[in-house]
């Protein structure tokens, strides 16, 4: 498999999805006016996509493991582009919502494949660099998306934002399907087995109900939705224990550090998105900044997120995932607290403090993204890479919705009983929750170690879970007075 082609495709897929979400966020007010719909109707143009994609990510990753990630990537990209073009021509908001569900299905096929392809194309010790490149590209798309969406909406209307991804999706999807003809029908290491459709249904219902409940926590369907999520989740767990070929393979469940890395991704993505919601509320509704001024104030977040990706990859190699993530969470917590202080500050000097807080958020989140994603993808066999990628993407879809729900519920909770303003309360709570996740770092792999010869018959030895991020064996050429050389991944 051509690694340059795989990396390009992975980056393109991640950017297409990131741009779609950011440009739509800016275009939603114009969509609402043009289609003469309610606020709830406009919100469902985003919610429908989230529910569909969150429900199907893991299922799609499983299919990618068994039928080839490149094929699912090609189908997902072509479908994503075609549905985007259809949304641009939609006659009403009902059509937009329905097509957004279809776009979510295509996004679910696409997103796990972008990580699954990397895992099958690169050996585990070389995954840091491509994951860092992918993370930096996502950060760049997040920074460019609002500006692009605002410019297109102002010049050509909201429909134009859905045309941005049509050509890239068509080109990448076509190239991927052409290349897939030369690839095996099944991902390396995947077994030929019947899909666990019952488990897939339980999981889809649980995730869809959970996301819907979090998006509308005060709605009439919030309590039934939460009950359905719990019941379906219990059904999924029960099914997984009995299924001969479970949707969550033992290789993923038992991989060291993977559950902790997923929990950390949920936590930090919730903190980031909840903080953005609170900060935008203060900057626009409290201080009267326009959208452009708000975007410029938050620009350090995107800049540091992009910069943190390569730095995080280097730190991951030298210090291991455990220390990298712990330090990054420290920066993230500091950023949340700085934003809480800025929310209470003087509007004249407050934007400068906000810039510092945003910079810390971007640096912390970018490093956690690289390190935690590396753990999730690297620690599982190549034959389960799609499922691992599906869980990683699910964490990054559920986390933001959870963060927004927490921020919305806590906004204004300070009242007269607290010196904190309504916007500062959720920021402090998010900082506390993020700090509470620090013990999870202990489960992650530590710094690379050199294994001494004689540990096994072939000079290798298994590394205990949570101890080392990279295995390295001392070879004959490395023995002598100079000692061991750099690790295989450090050349």
């Amino acid at each position: 498999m051509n690694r340059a082609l795989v990396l390009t495709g992975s980056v393109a897929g991640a950017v297409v999805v990131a741009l779609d979400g950011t440009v739509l966020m800016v275009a939603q007010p114009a969509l609402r006016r043009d289609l003469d719909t309610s606020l709830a109707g406009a919100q469902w143009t985003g919610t429908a996509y989230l529910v569909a994609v969150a429900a199907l990510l893991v299922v799609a990753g499983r299919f990618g493991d068994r039928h080839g990630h490149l094929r699912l990537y090609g189908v997902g990209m072509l479908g994503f582009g075609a549905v985007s073009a259809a949304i641009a021509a939609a006659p009403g908001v009902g059509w937009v919502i329905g097509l957004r569900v279809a776009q979510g299905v295509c996004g679910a096929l696409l997103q796990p494949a972008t990580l699954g392809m990397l895992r099958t194309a690169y050996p585990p010790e070389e995954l840091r660099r491509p994951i860092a490149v992918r993370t930096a590209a996502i950060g760049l798309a997040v920074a460019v998306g609002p500006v692009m969406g605002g410019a297109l909406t102002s010049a050509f209307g909201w429909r134009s934002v859905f045309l941005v991804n049509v050509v890239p999706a068509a080109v990448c999807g076509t190239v991927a399907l052409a290349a897939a003809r030369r690839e095996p029908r099944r991902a390396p290491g995947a077994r030929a087995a019947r899909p666990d459709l019952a488990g897939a249904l339980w999981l889809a219902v649980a995730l869809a109900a959970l996301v819907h409940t979090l998006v509308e926590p005060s709605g009439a369907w919030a309590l039934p939705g939460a009950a359905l999520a719990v019941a379906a989740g219990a059904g999924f767990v029960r099914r997984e224990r009995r299924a001969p070929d479970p949707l969550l393979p033992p290789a993923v469940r038992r991989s060291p550090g993977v559950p902790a890395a997923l929990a950390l991704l949920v936590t930090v993505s919730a903190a980031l998105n909840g903080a953005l919601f609170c900060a935008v509320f203060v900057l626009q509704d409290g201080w009267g900044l326009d959208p452009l001024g708000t975007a410029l104030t938050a620009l350090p977040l995107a800049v540091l997120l992009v910069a943190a990706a390569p730095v995080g990859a280097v730190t991951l190699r030298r210090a291991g995932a455990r220390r990298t993530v712990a330090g990054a969470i420290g920066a993230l917590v500091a950023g949340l607290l700085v934003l809480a202080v800025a929310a209470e500050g003087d509007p004249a000097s407050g934007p400068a403090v906000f810039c510092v807080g945003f910079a810390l958020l971007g640096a912390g989140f970018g490093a956690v993204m690289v390190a935690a994603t590396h753990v999730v993808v690297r620690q599982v066999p190549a034959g389960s890479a799609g499922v691992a990628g599906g869980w990683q993407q699910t964490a990054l879809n559920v986390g933001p919705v959870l963060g927004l729900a927490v921020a919305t519920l806590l906004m204004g909770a300070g009242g007269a009983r607290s010196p904190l303003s309504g916007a500062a309360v959720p920021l402090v709570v998010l900082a506390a929750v993020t700090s509470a996740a620090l013990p999870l770092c202990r489960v992650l792999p530590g710094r690379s170690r050199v294994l001494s010869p004689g540990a096994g018959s072939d000079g290798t030895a298994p590394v205990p879970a949570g101890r080392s991020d990279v295995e390295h064996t001392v070879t004959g050429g490395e023995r002598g007075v100079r000692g061991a050389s750099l690790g295989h991944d450090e050349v």
Side-chain angles (χ1 to χ4, degrees):
M1 185 179 292
N2 187 299
R3 292 183 182 178
L5 178 63
V6 168
L7 180 56
T8 301
S10 177
V11 169
V15 168
V16 161
V17 172
L19 276 179
D20 177 80
T22 53
V23 298
L24 176 61
M25 181 173 56
V26 177
Q28 273 186 334
L31 179 151
R32 180 187 175 193
R33 291 191 300 269
D34 185 47
L35 298 181
D36 192 23
T37 185
S38 64
L39 178 61
Q43 288 176 335
W44 265 102
T45 61
T47 303
Y49 176 88
L50 283 175
V51 171
V53 75
L56 299 175
L57 279 167
V58 178
V59 180
R62 188 67 167 141
F63 274 93
D65 286 333
R66 294 162 45 166
H67 302 291
H69 301 297
L70 202 54
R71 289 182 177 84
L72 252 67
Y73 171 88
V75 172
M77 280 291 261
L78 289 176
F80 201 94
V83 176
S84 296
I87 295 175
V93 70
W95 280 94
V96 174
I97 293 172
L99 289 169
R100 286 287 284 172
V101 172
Q103 196 176 40
V105 174
C106 297
L109 296 176
L110 166 64
Q111 292 184 59
T114 63
L115 288 172
M117 292 190 304
L118 292 180
R119 178 61 180 88
T120 55
Y122 289 84
E125 65 272 12
E126 296 181 17
L127 277 170
R128 295 182 186 85
R129 184 174 299 173
I131 289 176
V133 171
R134 181 179 179 275
T135 301
I138 293 173
L140 188 60
V142 170
V144 172
V147 179
M148 180 186 297
L152 288 173
T153 303
S154 299
F156 307 106
W158 66 269
R159 297 178 187 274
S160 62
V161 303
F162 287 101
L163 299 176
V164 170
N165 290 322
V166 172
V167 174
V171 172
C172 292
T174 302
V175 172
L177 289 182
R181 295 178 181 178
R182 301 188 295 272
E183 298 295 328
R185 291 292 301 177
R186 188 175 300 117
R191 297 183 297 110
R194 296 179 60 185
D196 182 19
L197 297 180
L201 179 61
W202 280 116
L203 180 62
V205 172
L207 289 174
L210 174 63
V211 171
H212 181 268
T213 302
L214 293 175
V215 170
E216 297 186 0
S218 58
W221 292 96
L223 186 59
L228 179 59
V230 172
F236 173 70
V237 172
R238 184 170 180 269
R239 173 64 187 176
E240 287 293 287
R241 291 178 175 176
R242 300 183 176 186
D245 185 40
L247 191 63
L248 185 62
V252 177
R253 290 200 306 266
R254 299 168 186 169
S255 296
V258 171
L262 292 173
L264 287 165
L265 286 172
V266 171
T267 302
V268 298
S269 59
L272 176 69
N273 286 269
L276 282 173
F277 178 84
C278 297
V280 169
F281 173 82
V282 172
L283 291 172
Q284 293 192 9
D285 292 359
W287 295 358
L289 268 66
D290 59 14
L292 179 59
T294 303
L296 292 176
T297 304
L299 189 59
L301 188 154
V303 173
L304 267 295
L305 196 158
V306 173
V311 174
V314 173
T315 307
L316 180 62
R317 173 169 58 87
R318 296 181 177 178
R322 186 185 311 150
R323 294 181 179 179
T324 300
V325 174
I329 287 180
L332 194 64
V333 170
L336 291 167
L337 294 177
V338 169
L339 290 179
V341 171
E344 291 292 292
D346 183 0
S349 59
V353 183
F354 265 107
C355 287
V356 175
F358 282 133
L360 289 169
L361 281 184
F365 183 77
V368 173
M369 269 281 289
V370 172
T373 300
H374 178 265
V375 171
V376 172
V377 177
R378 183 191 188 278
Q379 296 289 99
V380 299
S384 299
V387 170
W391 282 108
Q392 188 262 3
Q393 294 293 323
T394 300
L396 292 177
N397 276 271
V398 172
V401 181
L402 180 61
L404 290 174
V406 170
T408 302
L409 289 174
L410 293 178
M411 191 72 74
R417 296 172 297 174
S418 169
L420 298 174
S421 70
V425 169
L427 288 168
V428 173
V429 171
L430 289 170
V433 172
T434 306
S435 299
L438 274 171
L440 294 174
C441 297
R442 300 179 61 186
V443 186
L444 301 179
R447 189 177 59 182
S448 303
R449 294 192 307 168
V450 178
L451 302 179
S452 60
S457 60
D458 59 351
T460 63
V463 181
R467 291 291 183 88
S468 176
D469 189 47
V470 176
E471 295 181 11
H472 176 57
T473 305
V474 177
T475 58
E478 295 172 339
R479 301 186 183 100
V481 294
R482 295 185 181 182
S485 70
L486 293 175
H488 294 310
D489 64 315
E490 299 175 310
V491 177

